[in-house]
Amino acid sequence: WFEVYNPLGADIYVGGMVVSDAGSDSFTVADGVVIPAFDHFVFGQSADAVPLGPDYNWGEVGTFYLANGDDEIILTYDSVVIDSIAYDDCADCFPDPSGASVSLDGGSYAADNNNGALWCAGTAAYDANNNLGTPGTENAVCVAPDPCDGVTCEAPPTAACDGNTAVTYAEAGTCDAGDCSYTQTQTDCG
């Protein structure tokens, strides 16, 4: 499944819109389909793609697969690309979680949706299988992971005597931005 947000104060008619990737997958949205104003509209490959079903089930009208590693979603209307996104799972690109969808930061709807840094893994369970995401509802604001999460600072530098000054370090340090620092003490060693 994937979701399209309508940020306008008016409904958008999408009947006839083609959804494709850069390969051979595509489907055409049936006549009469409208995305309501300020709505998070869910497209799904099957009636059970999300609880209560998607807003539009493309499994009945075309072949379109979303790869986990890398793929594209291209929305075209009257041969004009309305929006597109190309994602992949390279380092520092888009998140690539297991069992979770990825979503555009809830505070970044007007930003470039091809910027992987604006996407994060879903955190809220939306079905009985504990899949994570927000199908059909507002995306959460992405919270940057704490670079100190899981870091223990228990390996201070080795004490040394530099000329007449001995430099020693506290056994436990503090983490800041993923780096450990240790309180040092200087004493006369001469």
Side-chain angles (χ1 to χ4, degrees):
W1 64 271
F2 68 92
E3 175 182 274
V4 173
Y5 175 64
N6 175 2
L8 304 176
D11 296 351
I12 298 175
Y13 180 81
V14 293
M17 179 177 74
V18 176
V19 178
S20 64
D21 64 9
S24 61
D25 293 346
S26 71
F27 67 90
T28 301
V29 178
D31 287 338
V33 176
V34 171
I35 299 178
F38 305 113
D39 189 44
H40 296 82
F41 193 90
V42 178
F43 291 85
Q45 185 175 1
S46 65
D48 61 352
V50 295
L52 306 178
D55 296 304
Y56 188 82
N57 177 357
W58 80 72
E60 299 171 354
V61 295
T63 302
F64 186 75
Y65 299 103
L66 293 170
N68 286 332
D70 64 88
D71 211 340
E72 310 81 26
I73 301 173
I74 304 167
L75 308 178
T76 306
Y77 194 82
D78 281 342
S79 302
V80 175
V81 174
I82 300 167
D83 195 10
S84 66
I85 182 164
Y87 61 90
D88 61 29
D89 60 355
C90 66
D92 297 324
C93 293
F94 286 80
D96 187 23
S98 178
S101 64
V102 295
S103 59
L104 183 63
D105 183 298
S108 300
Y109 289 152
D112 179 7
N113 61 0
N114 277 297
N115 180 349
L118 297 177
W119 292 75
C120 55
T123 57
Y126 66 84
D127 65 10
N129 296 320
N130 287 318
N131 287 309
L132 307 176
T134 57
T137 62
E138 186 170 349
N139 296 347
V141 172
C142 296
V143 176
D146 181 353
C148 291
D149 191 26
V151 174
T152 56
C153 298
E154 298 173 349
T158 304
C161 189
D162 181 19
N164 292 329
T165 305
V167 179
T168 58
Y169 299 90
E171 289 295 316
T174 57
C175 181
D176 182 31
D179 296 319
C180 292
S181 61
Y182 298 86
T183 302
Q184 60 175 266
T185 304
Q186 297 182 351
T187 57
D188 184 25
C189 65

